[in-house]
Amino acid sequence: MKDLFGKAILDFQTNNAPEDLITETSISEADEMSVAYLFRSFEEMPAMEQTALQMAKGKTLDVGCGAGSHSLYLQHEKQLDVTAIDISPNAIEACRLRGITKP
């Protein structure tokens, strides 16, 4: 596995100048995304994401946590017991560096 998303996330977290990500699937055209978007604050998230996070309660599993922005909000602002998981070892390392206690 090449782990390109994870490498970009870890590069951003460690100030290692990541390049923007370009994604493309069989049902969509190429789309460019800044890695910084994965590190957005609660205030920068779309309203639907904010609502979902505000409604969260109890033990929470963040599946496909990426850079961990949702987990960080739930852990720090809502004081929830959050476990963040991802198939990317690099993304998990970035989550650890960001302060997620249960990546």
Side-chain angles (χ1 to χ4, degrees):
M1 182 170 87
K2 293 181 180 181
D3 193 16
L4 299 177
F5 263 79
K7 182 170 177 2
I9 289 169
L10 188 57
D11 281 350
F12 186 91
Q13 177 62 35
T14 59
N15 298 312
N16 196 22
E19 295 184 26
D20 287 349
L21 299 168
I22 299 173
T23 61
E24 185 175 8
T25 70
S26 62
I27 60 171
S28 69
E29 295 181 15
D31 185 35
E32 189 169 350
M33 177 181 69
S34 170
V35 180
Y37 180 75
L38 301 174
F39 287 80
R40 64 197 178 279
S41 67
F42 179 80
E43 292 76 23
E44 297 169 314
M45 292 178 191
M48 186 179 293
E49 282 181 55
Q50 290 178 352
T51 299
L53 291 171
Q54 291 168 334
M55 293 175 68
K57 58 185 176 182
K59 283 189 171 188
T60 305
L61 179 62
D62 184 358
V63 178
C65 63
S69 295
H70 298 136
S71 292
L72 283 172
Y73 173 82
L74 295 173
Q75 178 181 295
H76 293 292
E77 301 302 321
K78 300 254 333 198
Q79 304 293 308
L80 296 181
D81 179 2
V82 180
T83 300
I85 63 172
D86 201 292
I87 62 169
S88 165
N90 289 317
I92 293 299
E93 180 59 23
C95 288
R96 282 191 184 97
L97 293 171
R98 292 187 78 193
I100 294 175
T101 55
K102 292 171 70 178

